[in-house]
Structure formats: structure tokens, C-alpha cells
Amino acid sequence: MDSAKSHDSGGAPLWLTFFIALPFACPLQHGSVLSRTLDEPLEGCEALEVRATDQSIPLGDADKNRMFVSLKFWQLKDTVDIADPLHGLLQVVHEVTGVGRTPEETVPIPENTYRTVVEMVTAQNADKLENMDSALDEAFTRCFDMLSDVYSMSRLVKRESLPPHVGMEQAQIAFWFGRFPGQDYSEESGGVYWISPPSYFPTETMNEAEFEQLKVLLGRVWNGSPLEVIMERSFVASQYLNQQGDYANAVIHAALSAEILLDSVLGLMLWEEQIEAPDFQAAVDIFDEAKNGGLTSRVRREYAPRLGGIWNPSQKGPVRHWKDELAFLRGRVVHRGYRPSRAEAERALEVGDELLDFVKARLASRAKQYPRTCLMILGEPGLRRIGGWRAAERFLGSTDEHPLRWFSGYSTWRDTVDALGT
């Protein structure tokens, strides 16, 4: 069954089975089965009898003919290679479907450990089978959402030192099979489901140019530059998204990157304004959330007069996107325990990048008014690329100040402001 082709099911749903080897064990008993019904209706199965298990609550009419997910846990120990998760995955696929075969040579896992393979069963309504790639993505995500819940709650039951999160991106591949009513499993009815590219392993060390870049970055960080902290948080967010599949932490770190950016830019501009005549209390008042509101209020009030552009979160643009699709989502994740989808997390990271580009462009346009801030955030390469280098270069030629010393000067100023504001 080619996943790129649509299929005429005659109105019947497609039963889908996914097999996935977890990157680490999930401590359910071998053979355990957990099932859940969802709100979406399951069309074309009205003649099927639906029965509740002994552990389930009684089923009412509204519970029947609904979409479902069922997970079965296979715990492999004596006949699986510890170094190769694909070995155990193929073993379970063959045992369940009769398709393929398992490798003959094995290296048993050490005593008291095991590898977990999960058999995940769901369905897809006939009206969604026109695009099989989309149908598979939706069905797999539905299954893995339930698997994530099971894994999280199993950690609470066992209280073992298991990793705090299991993400589908960590597994990289799964196998899938699709069957219409009355059909058996076959090699033609499924294939490999690619979840994410293989994990990145460096193939070579830094070259000399990269090593010189490293020394520049370290010099800036050790002198108090905020830009590298901003970029590092953004990079961590992308790792949570693409390597760990931890969408909540991806959103949180993307929001942290944006908040550090906004706070640092305003702080640097205030510091530069006060170099000749420090007014710590004025800065304290600006950052006083009890008196003047939080970050969103500061963004609306303080940035446009200094940088120009649209900073009102109610108006269309990068700032509104940041407020609605990153800051608000971060609040739901942190305060409600909301679990964002991959699409929401991807968009949150995109919004963070849009905000960074917007801030850089606005800063570059004010290089004459805020040369120190522009040089500290953008540096010469950024100013040459975006614009504003001529104004910054003229300022550098007119002063004997050393740019790296600006960072320590700003840090001292900001520490004083923060101390007075507590």
C-alpha cells in the first residue's frame, strides 16, 4: 500500500497498526493493552460490536462508533540486541503480522533490563484516505499522544529514574500496516514511517575559521553579551523540537529567547541613554511590573518611541505574532500544563525568529541614536549585512571606548537597577 496514493475503501475505515521501538523502556507488563476512545466519530463501523473491558467504565451509545487508540506493550529481553532497536522492532512486526523475518544473531540485554516495542492501533475514516501521507501523519500523532501520556503516568507509578519525556522524534522510524475489513497483514499493505531524520553525529572537528569564531563568541559571552544567550536559548528550543520531540519545552525556551531579547534591547538602550547622567530610578520605574504592567505593556509603551515601527500587539506584525502565538502559548504551557502540538511548537519557533529579525532591523535603523546598543547586539557583521554600519563606524572613530568594556558597564548598571527594584 503506497502511502503516497489514495485508496477507495468503499466507505469503510482503514485500520492502521504502527510498530515503534522506544528509545528507553516503558515499565508496563509484557502484553499490557491500554485503549482510549476519542471524540471523533468512526464512520462505516456501525455493525461492529463494541464492548468495554473489565477496567473500563460502562459504554453508552455516545461512546460507540468513535475513533480509538489501542496500545500493546512488548517487553523484549532474551532475544533482542541491546545495541540495535531495529532488531526488536522487526521481531515484534514479524510475530504480529507474519511479515518479514527477524535477524538470527542476538546479544541479550543485561539482567534486569529490557527493551520496549509498542504496537499502536487506530483507524482512519474513508474521507481522509485521499491523501495517505496526511492520513498516516494524523493517525500516528494520535497514537503517540496517548503513548506520551502512558509513559508520563507510568513514571509516576514506578518512581524510577526514567527520562522525563519520550518524543516520537527520538525513535526516528516506525513500521506501519493498513488493512480494510476482511484483509490480513501483507508486505504490500504498509511500509516504513519516517518520523525524523537520523540524529546528527559530527563527522569532523572545528576548522580554524570556526575556532576563531568560537573565541569571538566566548569573548562576548564572558564580557556579558546578551545576544549569545538569546541565540543559545533559541538553539535549545530547536533541539527540544527536532531531537527530543518535547514540544512544551521547545515553546518555553523559544519564549525565553524572545523575552531575553526584548528585555536586553530595552535595557541596553536605557543604559546608553544614561551613560552621561545615570538615572537608576527612572529605569526601575520602567521595569516595575506592579506599577506599569508586564513585558507586553513595556513593549507597547517603550519601544516604538526609541526604535520606530509597529510595537502595538493589537496591530498586525511580528510583535502581534509573538504575543498571540508564542507568549500566550508559553503561558498556557507553564500555567495550565497545556501540551502543544508539533505544529504549534514549530510556529512558536518561527514567530521567535520573526521577532528577532524585526528587532535587528529596527536597531540597525537607529544606529546613529544607539551606536553602542547596535554594536553590542548586531556587531560589525550584522550591521554590514542589515544596514547601519556607516553610522556605527563613525561613532567608533570618534571615541576611544573599547566595545567589549561596554558589556561590563551595562551589567553593572543593570545589576544596580535590578537591586533597587526588588
Side-chain angles (χ1 to χ4, degrees):
M1 183 179 292
D2 187 346
S3 65
K5 296 180 180 180
S6 60
H7 300 276
D8 183 8
S9 65
L14 177 69
W15 304 105
L16 287 165
T17 303
F18 296 93
F19 297 91
I20 186 168
L22 298 186
F24 25 79
C26 185
L28 277 76
Q29 290 181 319
H30 176 71
S32 297
V33 176
L34 291 169
S35 302
R36 182 186 181 191
T37 56
L38 307 172
D39 292 336
E40 180 184 352
L42 181 60
E43 308 291 348
C45 293
E46 291 77 8
L48 292 179
E49 180 183 2
V50 180
R51 296 191 300 266
T53 63
D54 294 338
Q55 295 79 22
S56 300
I57 61 175
L59 295 176
D61 291 337
D63 298 311
K64 300 177 182 179
N65 303 320
R66 285 167 54 186
M67 188 59 70
F68 68 93
V69 173
S70 184
L71 308 180
K72 183 174 182 179
F73 290 79
W74 298 75
Q75 307 295 10
L76 310 179
K77 178 175 179 174
D78 296 330
T79 59
V80 63
D81 189 334
I82 186 174
D84 183 10
L86 185 60
H87 183 283
L89 185 57
L90 291 171
Q91 176 181 323
V92 173
V93 168
H94 177 69
E95 184 169 342
V96 174
T97 68
V99 173
R101 61 185 181 86
T102 58
E104 296 180 0
E105 296 183 2
T106 65
V107 178
I109 286 179
E111 187 177 358
N112 298 326
T113 60
Y114 50 90
R115 183 178 293 284
T116 301
V117 173
V118 186
E119 176 186 353
M120 310 190 298
V121 181
T122 187
Q124 203 52 296
N125 284 315
D127 61 354
K128 295 189 176 180
L129 301 181
E130 182 176 349
N131 185 330
M132 276 299 297
D133 287 336
S134 175
L136 286 174
D137 290 344
E138 180 183 299
F140 184 83
T141 300
R142 181 192 308 142
C143 291
F144 210 93
D145 285 347
M146 178 177 170
L147 177 58
S148 295
D149 290 340
V150 172
Y151 180 80
S152 296
M153 295 303 101
S154 70
R155 291 180 67 249
L156 289 182
V157 173
K158 287 295 289 181
R159 298 287 178 176
E160 291 182 335
S161 58
L162 294 168
H165 171 83
V166 60
M168 57 185 178
E169 287 79 1
Q170 296 168 315
Q172 299 181 10
I173 68 167
F175 290 101
W176 71 276
F177 293 86
R179 297 180 296 162
F180 291 114
Q183 291 183 343
D184 294 324
Y185 291 109
S186 71
E187 291 184 354
E188 292 74 31
S189 67
V192 176
Y193 181 81
W194 289 99
I195 305 166
S196 63
S199 296
Y200 172 69
F201 295 96
T203 56
E204 57 186 20
T205 59
M206 288 184 181
N207 57 36
E208 287 301 317
E210 290 168 332
F211 184 63
E212 292 302 315
Q213 181 185 5
L214 171 65
K215 290 192 289 186
V216 171
L217 293 180
L218 288 173
R220 288 172 57 86
V221 168
W222 291 339
N223 280 282
S225 168
L227 180 60
E228 286 68 34
V229 178
I230 293 165
M231 300 305 296
E232 197 265 343
R233 286 301 95 197
S234 178
F235 181 63
V236 169
S238 68
Q239 288 182 304
Y240 272 118
L241 175 69
N242 295 312
Q243 295 181 13
Q244 301 298 317
D246 188 341
Y247 310 140
N249 267 312
V251 169
I252 290 170
H253 284 270
L256 283 175
S257 178
E259 291 177 18
I260 296 169
L261 168 68
L262 292 168
D263 184 273
S264 298
V265 167
L266 179 57
L268 284 165
M269 289 189 297
L270 289 170
W271 162 77
E272 189 165 4
E273 292 170 2
Q274 296 184 10
I275 281 182
E276 300 298 330
D279 187 351
F280 297 114
Q281 189 57 51
V284 170
D285 292 341
I286 287 174
F287 287 107
D288 189 339
E289 296 191 0
K291 181 184 299 183
N292 294 314
L295 179 58
T296 302
S297 296
R298 285 198 298 279
V299 167
R300 182 185 294 109
R301 184 180 64 248
E302 302 292 341
Y303 291 71
R306 293 175 169 86
L307 294 176
I310 299 174
W311 290 89
N312 189 333
S314 64
Q315 294 181 267
K316 187 176 181 180
V319 174
R320 180 175 178 176
H321 295 161
W322 159 73
K323 177 180 176 293
D324 292 347
E325 299 177 83
L326 179 51
F328 179 73
L329 182 59
R330 179 260 183 198
R332 295 183 71 193
V333 171
V334 171
H335 300 296
R336 288 187 51 202
Y338 177 70
R339 295 180 178 179
S341 67
R342 180 180 177 88
E344 288 175 311
E346 286 179 334
R347 178 56 183 158
L349 268 64
E350 290 174 1
V351 165
D353 290 340
E354 289 176 9
L355 181 68
L356 178 60
D357 290 341
F358 173 71
V359 171
K360 286 180 175 180
R362 297 316 309 160
L363 269 177
S365 73
R366 293 297 191 270
K368 184 176 180 180
Q369 292 87 345
Y370 296 100
R372 296 177 182 86
T373 300
C374 287
L375 286 163
M376 292 165 76
I377 292 290
L378 301 174
E380 180 180 342
L383 287 167
R384 286 186 179 277
R385 184 177 66 254
I386 303 172
W389 169 241
R390 286 187 178 181
E393 186 179 30
R394 283 195 296 269
F395 174 78
L396 284 175
S398 67
T399 180
D400 58 357
E401 298 176 15
H402 195 290
L404 284 181
R405 293 175 182 166
W406 293 337
F407 292 116
S408 60
Y410 168 69
S411 294
T412 300
W413 176 89
R414 187 57 189 268
D415 288 345
T416 303
V417 171
D418 291 345
L420 290 172
T422 58

Short mmCIF file of all heavy atoms in Angstrom, two decimals, residues 62-107:
data_model
loop_
_atom_site.label_atom_id
_atom_site.label_comp_id
_atom_site.label_asym_id
_atom_site.label_seq_id
_atom_site.Cartn_x
_atom_site.Cartn_y
_atom_site.Cartn_z
N ALA A 62 -23.28 7.02 23.09
CA ALA A 62 -22.41 8.06 22.56
C ALA A 62 -20.95 7.61 22.48
O ALA A 62 -20.15 8.22 21.77
CB ALA A 62 -22.51 9.32 23.42
N ASP A 63 -20.61 6.53 23.21
CA ASP A 63 -19.22 6.06 23.22
C ASP A 63 -18.93 5.10 22.07
O ASP A 63 -17.77 4.78 21.81
CB ASP A 63 -18.91 5.36 24.54
CG ASP A 63 -19.03 6.29 25.72
OD1 ASP A 63 -18.47 7.38 25.64
OD2 ASP A 63 -19.70 5.92 26.71
N LYS A 64 -19.97 4.64 21.41
CA LYS A 64 -19.78 3.68 20.32
C LYS A 64 -19.55 4.41 19.00
O LYS A 64 -19.92 5.57 18.83
CB LYS A 64 -21.00 2.77 20.22
CG LYS A 64 -21.24 1.97 21.51
CD LYS A 64 -22.49 1.13 21.42
CE LYS A 64 -22.74 0.37 22.73
NZ LYS A 64 -23.96 -0.44 22.69
N ASN A 65 -18.93 3.70 18.08
CA ASN A 65 -18.64 4.27 16.76
C ASN A 65 -17.82 5.55 16.85
O ASN A 65 -18.07 6.52 16.15
CB ASN A 65 -19.94 4.53 15.99
CG ASN A 65 -20.78 3.28 15.83
OD1 ASN A 65 -20.25 2.20 15.59
ND2 ASN A 65 -22.08 3.42 16.00
N ARG A 66 -16.85 5.51 17.75
CA ARG A 66 -15.94 6.64 17.90
C ARG A 66 -14.51 6.19 17.60
O ARG A 66 -14.16 5.03 17.75
CB ARG A 66 -16.02 7.21 19.32
CG ARG A 66 -17.27 8.02 19.58
CD ARG A 66 -17.46 8.29 21.05
NE ARG A 66 -16.29 8.90 21.67
CZ ARG A 66 -16.19 9.13 22.99
NH1 ARG A 66 -17.19 8.79 23.79
NH2 ARG A 66 -15.11 9.70 23.48
N MET A 67 -13.71 7.18 17.18
CA MET A 67 -12.31 6.89 16.91
C MET A 67 -11.64 6.38 18.18
O MET A 67 -12.05 6.72 19.30
CB MET A 67 -11.62 8.16 16.41
CG MET A 67 -10.20 7.93 15.92
SD MET A 67 -10.11 6.75 14.56
CE MET A 67 -10.87 7.73 13.24
N PHE A 68 -10.61 5.58 18.02
CA PHE A 68 -9.97 4.95 19.17
C PHE A 68 -8.47 4.86 18.95
O PHE A 68 -7.97 5.00 17.84
CB PHE A 68 -10.52 3.54 19.38
CG PHE A 68 -10.12 2.59 18.28
CD1 PHE A 68 -8.97 1.80 18.39
CD2 PHE A 68 -10.85 2.52 17.10
CE1 PHE A 68 -8.57 0.96 17.36
CE2 PHE A 68 -10.46 1.68 16.06
CZ PHE A 68 -9.33 0.90 16.19
N VAL A 69 -7.76 4.63 20.03
CA VAL A 69 -6.34 4.26 20.00
C VAL A 69 -6.16 3.12 20.98
O VAL A 69 -6.68 3.16 22.10
CB VAL A 69 -5.43 5.44 20.41
CG1 VAL A 69 -3.98 4.97 20.52
CG2 VAL A 69 -5.53 6.57 19.40
N SER A 70 -5.44 2.09 20.56
CA SER A 70 -5.14 0.96 21.44
C SER A 70 -3.65 0.67 21.37
O SER A 70 -3.07 0.58 20.29
CB SER A 70 -5.93 -0.28 20.99
OG SER A 70 -5.71 -1.36 21.89
N LEU A 71 -3.04 0.55 22.55
CA LEU A 71 -1.61 0.31 22.64
C LEU A 71 -1.34 -1.04 23.30
O LEU A 71 -1.93 -1.36 24.33
CB LEU A 71 -0.92 1.40 23.47
CG LEU A 71 -1.18 2.86 23.10
CD1 LEU A 71 -0.42 3.78 24.05
CD2 LEU A 71 -0.78 3.13 21.67
N LYS A 72 -0.45 -1.82 22.71
CA LYS A 72 0.00 -3.07 23.31
C LYS A 72 1.51 -2.99 23.50
O LYS A 72 2.24 -2.60 22.57
CB LYS A 72 -0.34 -4.27 22.45
CG LYS A 72 0.06 -5.61 23.08
CD LYS A 72 -0.43 -6.79 22.26
CE LYS A 72 -0.06 -8.11 22.93
NZ LYS A 72 -0.53 -9.29 22.16
N PHE A 73 1.99 -3.36 24.68
CA PHE A 73 3.39 -3.21 25.03
C PHE A 73 4.10 -4.56 24.99
O PHE A 73 3.67 -5.51 25.64
CB PHE A 73 3.52 -2.57 26.41
CG PHE A 73 3.11 -1.13 26.43
CD1 PHE A 73 1.77 -0.78 26.47
CD2 PHE A 73 4.05 -0.11 26.36
CE1 PHE A 73 1.37 0.55 26.46
CE2 PHE A 73 3.67 1.21 26.34
CZ PHE A 73 2.33 1.54 26.39
N TRP A 74 5.18 -4.61 24.24
CA TRP A 74 6.01 -5.79 24.11
C TRP A 74 7.34 -5.50 24.81
O TRP A 74 8.06 -4.57 24.43
CB TRP A 74 6.28 -6.11 22.64
CG TRP A 74 5.04 -6.42 21.85
CD1 TRP A 74 4.10 -5.54 21.41
CD2 TRP A 74 4.62 -7.71 21.41
NE1 TRP A 74 3.11 -6.19 20.72
CE2 TRP A 74 3.41 -7.53 20.70
CE3 TRP A 74 5.15 -8.99 21.53
CZ2 TRP A 74 2.73 -8.59 20.12
CZ3 TRP A 74 4.48 -10.04 20.95
CH2 TRP A 74 3.27 -9.84 20.26
N GLN A 75 7.65 -6.28 25.84
CA GLN A 75 8.89 -6.10 26.58
C GLN A 75 9.86 -7.22 26.21
O GLN A 75 9.61 -8.39 26.50
CB GLN A 75 8.62 -6.10 28.09
CG GLN A 75 7.55 -5.11 28.54
CD GLN A 75 7.94 -3.65 28.32
OE1 GLN A 75 8.92 -3.34 27.66
NE2 GLN A 75 7.15 -2.73 28.86
N LEU A 76 10.93 -6.87 25.53
CA LEU A 76 11.86 -7.85 24.97
C LEU A 76 13.14 -7.88 25.78
O LEU A 76 13.68 -6.84 26.14
CB LEU A 76 12.18 -7.49 23.52
CG LEU A 76 10.95 -7.21 22.62
CD1 LEU A 76 11.41 -6.85 21.23
CD2 LEU A 76 10.03 -8.42 22.59
N LYS A 77 13.61 -9.09 26.05
CA LYS A 77 14.80 -9.22 26.86
C LYS A 77 15.79 -10.23 26.31
O LYS A 77 16.92 -9.89 25.98
CB LYS A 77 14.43 -9.61 28.29
CG LYS A 77 15.64 -9.79 29.19
CD LYS A 77 15.24 -10.05 30.62
CE LYS A 77 16.50 -10.24 31.46
NZ LYS A 77 16.21 -10.35 32.90
N ASP A 78 15.39 -11.50 26.20
CA ASP A 78 16.34 -12.57 25.90
C ASP A 78 16.68 -12.68 24.42
O ASP A 78 17.68 -13.29 24.06
CB ASP A 78 15.78 -13.91 26.38
CG ASP A 78 15.63 -13.94 27.89
OD1 ASP A 78 16.43 -13.26 28.55
OD2 ASP A 78 14.71 -14.60 28.39
N THR A 79 15.84 -12.11 23.56
CA THR A 79 16.04 -12.33 22.12
C THR A 79 16.17 -11.03 21.35
O THR A 79 15.70 -10.91 20.23
CB THR A 79 14.86 -13.14 21.55
OG1 THR A 79 13.66 -12.39 21.78
CG2 THR A 79 14.76 -14.49 22.20
N VAL A 80 16.81 -10.04 21.95
CA VAL A 80 16.93 -8.76 21.27
C VAL A 80 18.33 -8.20 21.50
O VAL A 80 18.93 -8.39 22.55
CB VAL A 80 15.86 -7.77 21.77
CG1 VAL A 80 16.04 -7.47 23.23
CG2 VAL A 80 15.88 -6.48 20.97
N ASP A 81 18.85 -7.54 20.49
CA ASP A 81 20.17 -6.94 20.56
C ASP A 81 20.07 -5.59 21.27
O ASP A 81 19.33 -4.70 20.84
CB ASP A 81 20.70 -6.75 19.14
CG ASP A 81 22.16 -6.33 19.12
OD1 ASP A 81 22.61 -5.73 20.11
OD2 ASP A 81 22.83 -6.60 18.10
N ILE A 82 20.80 -5.42 22.36
CA ILE A 82 20.73 -4.18 23.13
C ILE A 82 21.19 -2.97 22.32
O ILE A 82 20.73 -1.84 22.53
CB ILE A 82 21.56 -4.30 24.42
CG1 ILE A 82 21.36 -3.06 25.30
CG2 ILE A 82 23.04 -4.47 24.11
CD1 ILE A 82 22.02 -3.17 26.65
N ALA A 83 22.07 -3.20 21.37
CA ALA A 83 22.64 -2.07 20.63
C ALA A 83 21.81 -1.68 19.42
O ALA A 83 22.10 -0.68 18.78
CB ALA A 83 24.06 -2.42 20.19
N ASP A 84 20.79 -2.46 19.07
CA ASP A 84 20.07 -2.22 17.84
C ASP A 84 18.56 -2.26 18.07
O ASP A 84 17.95 -3.33 18.11
CB ASP A 84 20.46 -3.29 16.80
CG ASP A 84 19.80 -3.05 15.45
OD1 ASP A 84 19.21 -1.97 15.28
OD2 ASP A 84 19.88 -3.94 14.59
N PRO A 85 17.91 -1.10 18.25
CA PRO A 85 16.48 -1.10 18.48
C PRO A 85 15.69 -1.66 17.30
O PRO A 85 14.58 -2.17 17.46
CB PRO A 85 16.15 0.39 18.69
CG PRO A 85 17.28 1.13 18.06
CD PRO A 85 18.48 0.26 18.24
N LEU A 86 16.26 -1.59 16.09
CA LEU A 86 15.56 -2.12 14.92
C LEU A 86 15.37 -3.62 15.02
O LEU A 86 14.38 -4.17 14.52
CB LEU A 86 16.35 -1.77 13.65
CG LEU A 86 15.71 -2.14 12.32
CD1 LEU A 86 14.38 -1.42 12.16
CD2 LEU A 86 16.65 -1.79 11.17
N HIS A 87 16.30 -4.31 15.69
CA HIS A 87 16.19 -5.76 15.83
C HIS A 87 14.91 -6.13 16.56
O HIS A 87 14.12 -6.97 16.11
CB HIS A 87 17.42 -6.29 16.59
CG HIS A 87 17.44 -7.78 16.72
ND1 HIS A 87 16.65 -8.45 17.63
CD2 HIS A 87 18.16 -8.72 16.07
CE1 HIS A 87 16.88 -9.75 17.53
NE2 HIS A 87 17.81 -9.94 16.59
N GLY A 88 14.67 -5.51 17.71
CA GLY A 88 13.46 -5.82 18.47
C GLY A 88 12.21 -5.39 17.74
O GLY A 88 11.17 -6.06 17.80
N LEU A 89 12.28 -4.30 17.02
CA LEU A 89 11.12 -3.82 16.26
C LEU A 89 10.74 -4.83 15.19
O LEU A 89 9.56 -5.19 15.03
CB LEU A 89 11.46 -2.46 15.63
CG LEU A 89 10.36 -1.72 14.88
CD1 LEU A 89 9.15 -1.51 15.76
CD2 LEU A 89 10.89 -0.39 14.36
N LEU A 90 11.72 -5.32 14.45
CA LEU A 90 11.45 -6.32 13.42
C LEU A 90 10.91 -7.62 14.01
O LEU A 90 10.06 -8.29 13.42
CB LEU A 90 12.72 -6.60 12.62
CG LEU A 90 13.21 -5.47 11.71
CD1 LEU A 90 14.59 -5.80 11.15
CD2 LEU A 90 12.23 -5.23 10.58
N GLN A 91 11.39 -7.98 15.20
CA GLN A 91 10.93 -9.19 15.86
C GLN A 91 9.43 -9.12 16.15
O GLN A 91 8.68 -10.06 15.88
CB GLN A 91 11.70 -9.40 17.16
CG GLN A 91 11.24 -10.59 17.99
CD GLN A 91 12.04 -10.71 19.27
OE1 GLN A 91 13.23 -10.45 19.30
NE2 GLN A 91 11.36 -11.08 20.35
N VAL A 92 8.98 -7.98 16.70
CA VAL A 92 7.57 -7.84 17.03
C VAL A 92 6.72 -7.74 15.76
O VAL A 92 5.63 -8.34 15.68
CB VAL A 92 7.35 -6.60 17.92
CG1 VAL A 92 5.87 -6.34 18.13
CG2 VAL A 92 8.05 -6.79 19.26
N VAL A 93 7.20 -7.00 14.76
CA VAL A 93 6.46 -6.90 13.50
C VAL A 93 6.22 -8.28 12.91
O VAL A 93 5.11 -8.62 12.48
CB VAL A 93 7.22 -6.01 12.49
CG1 VAL A 93 6.61 -6.13 11.10
CG2 VAL A 93 7.18 -4.56 12.94
N HIS A 94 7.25 -9.12 12.90
CA HIS A 94 7.11 -10.47 12.34
C HIS A 94 6.15 -11.32 13.17
O HIS A 94 5.31 -12.04 12.61
CB HIS A 94 8.49 -11.14 12.29
CG HIS A 94 8.43 -12.55 11.79
ND1 HIS A 94 8.13 -12.87 10.49
CD2 HIS A 94 8.62 -13.75 12.44
CE1 HIS A 94 8.14 -14.19 10.34
NE2 HIS A 94 8.44 -14.73 11.51
N GLU A 95 6.23 -11.21 14.49
CA GLU A 95 5.36 -12.03 15.34
C GLU A 95 3.90 -11.65 15.19
O GLU A 95 3.02 -12.51 15.19
CB GLU A 95 5.78 -11.88 16.81
CG GLU A 95 5.00 -12.78 17.76
CD GLU A 95 5.60 -12.82 19.15
OE1 GLU A 95 6.78 -12.45 19.29
OE2 GLU A 95 4.89 -13.23 20.08
N VAL A 96 3.61 -10.36 15.04
CA VAL A 96 2.22 -9.91 14.94
C VAL A 96 1.66 -10.10 13.55
O VAL A 96 0.53 -10.56 13.37
CB VAL A 96 2.11 -8.42 15.35
CG1 VAL A 96 0.70 -7.90 15.12
CG2 VAL A 96 2.49 -8.25 16.82
N THR A 97 2.44 -9.74 12.52
CA THR A 97 1.92 -9.70 11.16
C THR A 97 2.29 -10.90 10.30
O THR A 97 1.65 -11.16 9.29
CB THR A 97 2.42 -8.43 10.43
OG1 THR A 97 3.83 -8.55 10.20
CG2 THR A 97 2.14 -7.19 11.28
N GLY A 98 3.36 -11.62 10.68
CA GLY A 98 3.85 -12.69 9.84
C GLY A 98 4.69 -12.20 8.68
O GLY A 98 5.16 -12.98 7.86
N VAL A 99 4.90 -10.89 8.60
CA VAL A 99 5.65 -10.29 7.51
C VAL A 99 7.12 -10.19 7.89
O VAL A 99 7.46 -9.85 9.02
CB VAL A 99 5.10 -8.88 7.19
CG1 VAL A 99 5.99 -8.17 6.17
CG2 VAL A 99 3.68 -8.99 6.66
N GLY A 100 8.01 -10.49 6.93
CA GLY A 100 9.44 -10.36 7.17
C GLY A 100 9.98 -11.45 8.07
O GLY A 100 9.33 -12.46 8.33
N ARG A 101 11.17 -11.23 8.57
CA ARG A 101 11.79 -12.17 9.50
C ARG A 101 12.72 -11.40 10.42
O ARG A 101 13.11 -10.26 10.13
CB ARG A 101 12.58 -13.24 8.76
CG ARG A 101 13.72 -12.70 7.91
CD ARG A 101 14.38 -13.81 7.11
NE ARG A 101 15.50 -13.30 6.33
CZ ARG A 101 16.73 -13.15 6.77
NH1 ARG A 101 17.02 -13.48 8.04
NH2 ARG A 101 17.69 -12.69 6.00
N THR A 102 13.09 -12.01 11.53
CA THR A 102 13.98 -11.35 12.48
C THR A 102 15.40 -11.87 12.29
O THR A 102 15.61 -13.03 11.93
CB THR A 102 13.54 -11.62 13.92
OG1 THR A 102 13.52 -13.04 14.15
CG2 THR A 102 12.16 -11.06 14.17
N PRO A 103 16.39 -11.02 12.54
CA PRO A 103 17.79 -11.48 12.44
C PRO A 103 18.05 -12.64 13.40
O PRO A 103 17.47 -12.71 14.49
CB PRO A 103 18.59 -10.24 12.84
CG PRO A 103 17.66 -9.09 12.58
CD PRO A 103 16.28 -9.61 12.87
N GLU A 104 18.92 -13.54 13.00
CA GLU A 104 19.19 -14.73 13.81
C GLU A 104 20.11 -14.44 14.98
O GLU A 104 19.92 -14.96 16.08
CB GLU A 104 19.78 -15.84 12.92
CG GLU A 104 18.81 -16.32 11.85
CD GLU A 104 19.42 -17.42 10.99
OE1 GLU A 104 20.59 -17.77 11.27
OE2 GLU A 104 18.75 -17.90 10.07
N GLU A 105 21.12 -13.60 14.78
CA GLU A 105 22.08 -13.35 15.84
C GLU A 105 21.56 -12.27 16.79
O GLU A 105 21.05 -11.25 16.37
CB GLU A 105 23.42 -12.91 15.24
CG GLU A 105 24.09 -13.97 14.39
CD GLU A 105 25.43 -13.51 13.89
OE1 GLU A 105 25.83 -12.37 14.24
OE2 GLU A 105 26.09 -14.27 13.16
N THR A 106 21.69 -12.54 18.07
CA THR A 106 21.25 -11.58 19.07
C THR A 106 22.29 -11.46 20.17
O THR A 106 23.08 -12.37 20.41
CB THR A 106 19.91 -12.00 19.72
OG1 THR A 106 20.11 -13.22 20.45
CG2 THR A 106 18.83 -12.20 18.68
N VAL A 107 22.27 -10.33 20.83
CA VAL A 107 23.08 -10.11 22.02
C VAL A 107 22.11 -9.79 23.15
O VAL A 107 21.52 -8.72 23.16
CB VAL A 107 24.08 -8.95 21.84
CG1 VAL A 107 24.88 -8.73 23.11
CG2 VAL A 107 25.00 -9.23 20.66
#
